[in-house]
Amino acid sequence: GNGVPAVGLNMFGVLDATLAYGSASGGSHRVQLTNSGFNSSRLGFRGSEDLGGGLSASFWLEMGVNPDDGTGVASSTNNQQAAGGASAGSLTFNRASWVSLNGDWGSLRLGRDYTPTFTLMAGYDPFTVNGAGTTLAFTGFSIRRATAQGPYPASTSTSPGVAFPGGPVATRARASNSIGYMTGDNLGGFYGWAQYYLGENAQDGAATEDDGSGYNARFGYAAGPVDVSAAYGKTKYALLGDFRTWDVGGTWKLGNLQLNAEYVSDRAGGTTLTGGIGPAPLDGKGWMVGGSYVAGPGLVRFSYSGYKVDLGSGPVSRKAAIGYVYYLSKRTAVYTTYAHLWNRNGATSTLNGSLVGAGLASSASNGLDFGLKHSF
Amino acid sequence: GNGVPAVGLNMFGVLDATLAYGSASGGSHRVQLTNSGFNSSRLGFRGSEDLGGGLSASFWLEMGVNPDDGTGVASSTNNQQAAGGASAGSLTFNRASWVSLNGDWGSLRLGRDYTPTFTLMAGYDPFTVNGAGTTLAFTGFSIRRATAQGPYPASTSTSPGVAFPGGPVATRARASNSIGYMTGDNLGGFYGWAQYYLGENAQDGAATEDDGSGYNARFGYAAGPVDVSAAYGKTKYALLGDFRTWDVGGTWKLGNLQLNAEYVSDRAGGTTLTGGIGPAPLDGKGWMVGGSYVAGPGLVRFSYSGYKVDLGSGPVSRKAAIGYVYYLSKRTAVYTTYAHLWNRNGATSTLNGSLVGAGLASSASNGLDFGLKHSF
Amino acid sequence: GNGVPAVGLNMFGVLDATLAYGSASGGSHRVQLTNSGFNSSRLGFRGSEDLGGGLSASFWLEMGVNPDDGTGVASSTNNQQAAGGASAGSLTFNRASWVSLNGDWGSLRLGRDYTPTFTLMAGYDPFTVNGAGTTLAFTGFSIRRATAQGPYPASTSTSPGVAFPGGPVATRARASNSIGYMTGDNLGGFYGWAQYYLGENAQDGAATEDDGSGYNARFGYAAGPVDVSAAYGKTKYALLGDFRTWDVGGTWKLGNLQLNAEYVSDRAGGTTLTGGIGPAPLDGKGWMVGGSYVAGPGLVRFSYSGYKVDLGSGPVSRKAAIGYVYYLSKRTAVYTTYAHLWNRNGATSTLNGSLVGAGLASSASNGLDFGLKHSF
């Protein structure tokens, strides 16, 4: 074995193991040693080079790792499948894979990267979309449907239906084949990030020729105690109808207390294609209020979030979460999170792998995490 | 390119390429450039952090690598499949993937790790379960069966049947989703390791809801020339019947000579489920005696091992192996191993990928390895 | 994060992102953010150890990486499938995975490596078989066939047929399970490399028992402004008929100008097996003339290449390519390449993912690359 490091090249990572318990009304419970309840587990390689004249080049390769079982996470080659590009469990650089040129004028990135809308949704969540406390504004919710709707299959079993509508979209968190521009840090607190990505289908006149292509941008202001921003993204899918999301949010620091809020408006755009959602678009709305408090080596996190779809009786899920993180060092922490979730009007969202019983119009679910996180 | 290393973060590995020849009675022979005939090939990343007050945090990520073709090794996400969690050949951190807290009181590990029973079976084998010399006590043996027995399919072709009974169990060598405790080194030579692991199925009343869950522990004493230990592990499988293994063994150093011995008692527990083994459990017994001798820069290794199943006429395989390792440096070695295997009462075990001819109640197989091993 | 490096162990890589446009006669066009238009993207780990007495040991692990989407590239476990050994998109050490012993006498390598014939074909191509300018001498070409021929399926759709005949052969670029010998650098400019590789099938009398086994060698002379060499390789396939390739080429430096040329003669050997090519072998011939010119921090590259198959009316593809690379530093460059391709007599080769229209005996295709390459 050898130690590891040198000028301009870094290896880094996070291993976060989580003992997770979940239960749901009239259904099953589950105990797992899962992962990433506080911070997403990963192994990465990155570096940069000074090119002179204020110019630099950088690269970033970052793979998702499941430390509970040693597997990795698949990527998407074309933004059309949430888990395409390798079989489930294979290691890939699914989290980030890009090369960039950087200057005072900002940064030009080419490759696979977060979508700007995701960085808003995750960045303003006190739980950073990790673990039982993950904001519903990001995940949307699950629903049981007697009839298929567009690309979403009918689902009346105890197994929850497909998440609606943001969940199944491949570009919800990241986009492959992207060209992005990020502003520099010399705009007096204003910042911006615009991204265009390609589905890479053959341009042959088929209805699906633009599937997986889209654009995504975020603009904001961060100075002193305040960070506020708005983001918009649109990805083309001929069958689902173009998917778009509008997101706003912010954080406000008051000494040791930070308050967080965000609002998400998703739309699966409707389509006239056979099997598609139909001419009417399907809308979903998510929201979250919460915050965190620094208490010595500890951090208290809390949030209340919800997601509602404009479909039938208006299924809705709401969640309250509270958590505590104790830092053993800057790099290592132990933590716990408790969350309770309410479903109304047929929504079937659950926490930590539990499943609600069949035929419940209203139900509830509990999730409890204990974990150890170490970064390097 | 850049050199690699720094404080608290290490990259390490082994590349071991093996030219392997195998032949079997009345059947086929095979020549392969395979790997890991002396030491398991791997690439890993590990590190630790001093947290103060005698406490530290560590992580370990280690992928199996097949240097002959550049592929990796799949893992298991739920301890229920021997090669689940990624398609065959994909790189995963199948060998180790855990984070731990450590103190004078010992170590708490969360993630994927060896099972304690495996460390006994492999650690006392002079060939460390690598290459043609691997002890039969670990691998069990193959058998040709006219009728299916429990989850083991009938097999009368020249292709050998499924290994019995330890071989097909996912937790034979490692367990995912494990929580382990290892004693510190301040117990006057006594040591212990206890592990609990989760299959992570939904708790929904199904017969298989606990499949893949189990526990595993090893206790021993190592001081001066002696190391002796015993280990026990049990993993739940509704169809196979719970699998358990009882193992004892030890090593004794006499100057340049070391003597090794181990005994393994496996049981597939029997089940009343349709398709299962039936109410009667199926037992297998393995044993090994052997040792090694240090001669200058060389190491001679030898062993005699066997495995027998309490089934029908009592099929049994026995193997004699001898090998020589020549160290070119501490990190680099060339080696050769020769093994001869005898099958009786219908056992069909073979060496190095050869297959015995059809219909033989007794048969034999030969294996010969030549290799180059380099670690870093 | 930690810096990365140390004595004898190196991490290295290339990330090359390419915006690629392709179009074809009467067919489709395509825009992709793809990769490796100038240099093959990769992440690798390598090292060496001085064993004393003029002897050293080395290892090399190098994975292909697609930086546009974070996926990897599958390998072949047995030289019989072009993408066997892991599902598409999984990271593997497909590019190189070997351990070696080295001395004044040369180097002995065991594992997965380039084939010597490939290093000739790629090494003498001014575009090093990357991007739109890749020499047709290496890739062969695609053809639309009304009837199946041997293992090549019939193909009359707009989708081009399988590349002929070199393209589909797993050992075209690399071989797994190889044993290679390379001469040292003390032969007055002469160099040589011979390789034997194993398909590893059971030796059981089946017609395919030697599939994937073969040998490959290259011999040449490099001194002063001249590098010339010849190479030959043969891989056994019972159904395709043994595949062999004869290659010659060279480069000649004239100050800032370098001239390149190569000639490739491929043969799928014919077979009497049902479904095979038939008793008559199928021949293909490729050629390339080109070069490069160093102009300050820039590099101009140009080539004209072609490939013709002795089948029916003699389908042939020809390509002209020109490119410019601007080095921002030794490690970082931006580049562009333009190529135009002509098909005659039913060949259907295309550039950058475009597809020619149906039923064209003659057609053309254009490819245009813009990219950013960073190595570390």
Side-chain angles (χ1 to χ4, degrees):
Chain A
N2 289 269
V4 182
V7 181
L9 181 55
N10 282 271
M11 187 188 306
F12 64 95
V14 173
L15 290 199
D16 180 345
T18 314
L19 186 63
Y21 172 80
S23 66
S25 302
S28 63
H29 63 280
R30 198 181 292 234
V31 184
Q32 299 174 82
L33 187 84
T34 179
N35 65 79
S36 306
F38 173 46
N39 224 196
S40 299
S41 298
R42 70 194 77 175
L43 175 66
F45 309 91
R46 67 186 175 211
S48 66
E49 181 193 14
D50 187 344
L51 298 171
L55 204 63
S56 67
S58 302
F59 80 94
W60 196 292
L61 289 173
E62 185 178 318
M63 55 172 68
V65 172
N66 299 313
D68 45 334
D69 54 29
T71 60
V73 182
S75 185
S76 168
T77 58
N78 58 9
N79 304 319
Q80 295 171 45
Q81 302 158 282
S87 66
S90 299
L91 291 171
T92 72
F93 294 109
N94 68 301
R95 291 184 54 83
S97 168
W98 49 256
V99 57
S100 72
L101 275 181
N102 324 292
D104 289 340
W105 45 267
S107 187
L108 177 70
R109 279 190 193 173
L110 306 174
R112 179 170 173 83
D113 199 0
Y114 288 123
T115 48
T117 46
F118 174 77
T119 62
L120 187 157
M121 288 187 273
Y124 293 148
D125 179 9
F127 294 92
T128 60
V129 306
N130 285 102
T134 298
T135 177
L136 287 175
F138 170 66
T139 52
F141 64 84
S142 294
I143 188 171
R144 195 180 291 124
R145 292 171 306 285
T147 55
Q149 171 149 18
Y152 303 110
S155 163
T156 54
S157 72
T158 52
S159 175
V162 178
F164 245 87
V169 175
T171 56
R172 187 66 163 176
R174 293 176 181 85
S176 290
N177 316 314
S178 79
I179 301 168
Y181 166 72
M182 308 175 85
T183 55
D185 54 6
N186 52 3
L187 300 178
F190 289 94
Y191 60 87
W193 179 7
Q195 190 182 70
Y196 178 72
Y197 41 84
L198 291 155
E200 301 191 341
N201 282 359
Q203 299 297 300
D204 57 3
T208 55
E209 70 177 9
D210 289 330
D211 272 22
S213 292
Y215 52 87
N216 201 301
R218 177 183 178 188
F219 299 95
Y221 175 81
V226 170
D227 179 2
V228 291
S229 60
Y232 178 76
K234 179 175 178 175
T235 307
K236 298 195 175 191
Y237 297 107
L239 192 64
L240 174 65
D242 298 347
F243 181 81
R244 69 118 182 90
T245 184
W246 249 116
D247 316 308
V248 295
T251 57
W252 188 25
K253 279 201 176 115
L254 294 155
N256 285 345
L257 177 69
Q258 178 176 291
L259 297 178
N260 300 36
E262 65 188 28
Y263 179 79
V264 169
S265 173
D266 297 323
R267 170 172 291 188
T271 173
T272 56
L273 288 183
T274 304
I277 279 188
L282 178 66
D283 290 294
K285 307 272 192 283
W287 62 91
M288 188 280 306
V289 291
S292 56
Y293 185 82
V294 176
L299 176 71
V300 177
R301 303 186 294 170
F302 49 91
S303 76
Y304 181 69
S305 65
Y307 199 94
K308 178 172 187 169
V309 166
D310 293 339
L311 176 73
S313 56
V316 59
S317 297
R318 292 189 187 87
K319 183 201 279 193
I322 187 159
Y324 180 70
V325 181
Y326 182 83
Y327 283 91
L328 296 165
S329 77
K330 196 178 158 192
R331 293 165 46 196
T332 303
V334 290
Y335 61 89
T336 183
T337 303
Y338 170 72
H340 182 79
L341 185 149
W342 299 264
N343 290 305
R344 292 291 178 270
N345 306 332
T348 57
S349 295
T350 54
L351 295 172
N352 287 354
S354 57
L355 299 175
V356 302
L360 301 178
S362 294
S363 61
S365 180
N366 291 289
L368 185 59
D369 292 345
F370 294 97
L372 170 63
K373 168 257 173 188
H374 175 68
S375 55
F376 53 93
Chain B
N2 289 269
V4 182
V7 180
L9 181 56
N10 283 271
M11 187 188 306
F12 64 95
V14 173
L15 291 199
D16 180 345
T18 314
L19 186 63
Y21 172 81
S23 67
S25 303
S28 63
H29 63 280
R30 197 181 291 234
V31 184
Q32 299 175 82
L33 187 83
T34 180
N35 66 79
S36 306
F38 172 46
N39 224 195
S40 299
S41 298
R42 71 194 76 176
L43 175 66
F45 309 92
R46 67 186 175 212
S48 66
E49 180 192 16
D50 187 344
L51 299 171
L55 203 63
S56 68
S58 303
F59 80 93
W60 195 293
L61 288 173
E62 186 178 317
M63 56 173 66
V65 172
N66 299 313
D68 46 334
D69 54 28
T71 60
V73 181
S75 185
S76 169
T77 57
N78 57 10
N79 303 319
Q80 296 171 45
Q81 301 158 282
S87 67
S90 300
L91 291 171
T92 72
F93 294 109
N94 68 301
R95 290 184 54 84
S97 167
W98 48 256
V99 57
S100 71
L101 275 181
N102 322 294
D104 288 340
W105 45 267
S107 187
L108 176 72
R109 277 189 193 175
L110 306 175
R112 179 169 172 84
D113 199 1
Y114 288 122
T115 48
T117 46
F118 174 76
T119 62
L120 186 157
M121 288 187 272
Y124 293 147
D125 179 9
F127 294 92
T128 60
V129 306
N130 285 102
T134 297
T135 176
L136 288 175
F138 169 67
T139 53
F141 63 84
S142 294
I143 188 171
R144 197 181 289 125
R145 292 171 306 286
T147 55
Q149 171 148 18
Y152 303 109
S155 163
T156 53
S157 71
T158 52
S159 174
V162 177
F164 244 89
V169 175
T171 56
R172 188 64 164 177
R174 293 176 182 85
S176 291
N177 317 314
S178 79
I179 301 168
Y181 166 73
M182 308 176 85
T183 55
D185 54 5
N186 52 2
L187 301 178
F190 288 95
Y191 59 87
W193 180 7
Q195 189 182 69
Y196 178 70
Y197 41 84
L198 291 154
E200 300 192 340
N201 283 358
Q203 299 297 300
D204 56 3
T208 55
E209 68 176 10
D210 289 330
D211 272 23
S213 293
Y215 52 88
N216 201 301
R218 178 182 178 189
F219 300 95
Y221 175 81
V226 170
D227 179 2
V228 291
S229 60
Y232 179 76
K234 179 174 176 175
T235 307
K236 297 194 176 192
Y237 297 106
L239 192 65
L240 174 66
D242 298 348
F243 181 81
R244 70 117 180 91
T245 183
W246 249 117
D247 317 306
V248 295
T251 58
W252 186 25
K253 280 198 176 117
L254 294 155
N256 286 344
L257 179 68
Q258 177 176 293
L259 297 178
N260 300 34
E262 65 187 27
Y263 180 78
V264 170
S265 173
D266 297 323
R267 169 173 291 188
T271 172
T272 55
L273 288 183
T274 305
I277 279 187
L282 179 66
D283 290 293
K285 306 271 191 287
W287 62 92
M288 188 279 306
V289 292
S292 56
Y293 185 82
V294 176
L299 176 71
V300 178
R301 303 186 295 170
F302 50 90
S303 75
Y304 182 70
S305 65
Y307 198 93
K308 179 172 186 170
V309 165
D310 293 339
L311 175 73
S313 55
V316 60
S317 298
R318 292 189 188 86
K319 182 202 278 193
I322 187 158
Y324 181 69
V325 181
Y326 182 82
Y327 284 92
L328 297 166
S329 77
K330 197 179 156 191
R331 292 165 46 196
T332 305
V334 290
Y335 62 87
T336 184
T337 303
Y338 170 73
H340 182 81
L341 184 150
W342 299 265
N343 290 305
R344 292 290 178 272
N345 305 332
T348 58
S349 296
T350 54
L351 295 172
N352 287 353
S354 58
L355 298 175
V356 301
L360 301 178
S362 293
S363 60
S365 180
N366 291 288
L368 185 59
D369 292 345
F370 294 96
L372 169 63
K373 169 258 173 187
H374 175 68
S375 56
F376 53 94
Chain C
N2 290 269
V4 181
V7 180
L9 181 56
N10 283 271
M11 187 187 307
F12 64 95
V14 173
L15 291 200
D16 180 345
T18 314
L19 185 64
Y21 172 82
S23 66
S25 302
S28 63
H29 63 280
R30 197 181 293 234
V31 185
Q32 298 175 81
L33 186 84
T34 180
N35 65 78
S36 305
F38 173 46
N39 224 197
S40 299
S41 299
R42 70 195 77 175
L43 175 67
F45 309 91
R46 66 187 176 212
S48 65
E49 180 193 15
D50 186 344
L51 298 170
L55 203 64
S56 67
S58 302
F59 79 94
W60 195 294
L61 288 173
E62 185 178 318
M63 55 172 68
V65 172
N66 299 313
D68 45 334
D69 54 28
T71 61
V73 182
S75 185
S76 168
T77 57
N78 58 9
N79 303 319
Q80 295 171 45
Q81 301 158 283
S87 67
S90 300
L91 291 172
T92 72
F93 293 108
N94 68 301
R95 290 184 55 84
S97 167
W98 48 256
V99 58
S100 73
L101 275 180
N102 323 294
D104 288 341
W105 45 268
S107 188
L108 177 71
R109 278 190 193 175
L110 306 174
R112 180 169 173 83
D113 199 0
Y114 288 123
T115 48
T117 47
F118 174 77
T119 61
L120 187 157
M121 288 187 272
Y124 293 147
D125 179 10
F127 294 92
T128 59
V129 306
N130 285 103
T134 297
T135 177
L136 288 175
F138 169 67
T139 52
F141 63 85
S142 294
I143 188 171
R144 196 180 291 124
R145 291 172 307 284
T147 55
Q149 172 148 19
Y152 304 109
S155 163
T156 54
S157 71
T158 53
S159 175
V162 177
F164 244 88
V169 175
T171 57
R172 188 65 163 176
R174 294 176 181 85
S176 290
N177 317 314
S178 79
I179 301 169
Y181 166 74
M182 308 174 85
T183 55
D185 54 6
N186 52 2
L187 300 178
F190 289 95
Y191 59 88
W193 180 7
Q195 189 182 69
Y196 178 72
Y197 41 83
L198 291 155
E200 300 191 342
N201 284 357
Q203 299 298 300
D204 56 4
T208 55
E209 69 177 8
D210 290 330
D211 272 23
S213 292
Y215 52 87
N216 201 300
R218 177 182 178 189
F219 299 95
Y221 175 81
V226 171
D227 179 2
V228 291
S229 60
Y232 179 76
K234 179 175 176 175
T235 307
K236 298 196 176 191
Y237 298 107
L239 192 64
L240 174 66
D242 298 347
F243 180 82
R244 70 117 179 90
T245 182
W246 250 117
D247 317 306
V248 296
T251 59
W252 186 25
K253 279 199 177 118
L254 294 156
N256 285 345
L257 178 69
Q258 178 176 290
L259 297 177
N260 300 35
E262 65 187 28
Y263 180 79
V264 169
S265 173
D266 297 323
R267 170 172 290 188
T271 172
T272 55
L273 288 183
T274 305
I277 279 188
L282 178 66
D283 290 294
K285 306 272 192 285
W287 62 91
M288 187 280 306
V289 292
S292 55
Y293 184 81
V294 176
L299 176 71
V300 177
R301 304 186 294 170
F302 50 90
S303 76
Y304 182 70
S305 64
Y307 198 93
K308 178 172 186 170
V309 165
D310 293 339
L311 176 72
S313 56
V316 59
S317 298
R318 292 189 187 86
K319 182 201 280 193
I322 186 159
Y324 181 69
V325 180
Y326 182 82
Y327 284 92
L328 296 166
S329 76
K330 197 179 158 192
R331 291 164 47 195
T332 304
V334 290
Y335 62 88
T336 183
T337 303
Y338 170 73
H340 183 80
L341 185 149
W342 300 265
N343 289 305
R344 293 291 179 271
N345 306 331
T348 58
S349 297
T350 55
L351 295 172
N352 286 354
S354 57
L355 298 175
V356 302
L360 301 178
S362 294
S363 61
S365 180
N366 291 288
L368 185 58
D369 292 344
F370 294 96
L372 168 63
K373 169 257 172 187
H374 175 69
S375 57
F376 53 94

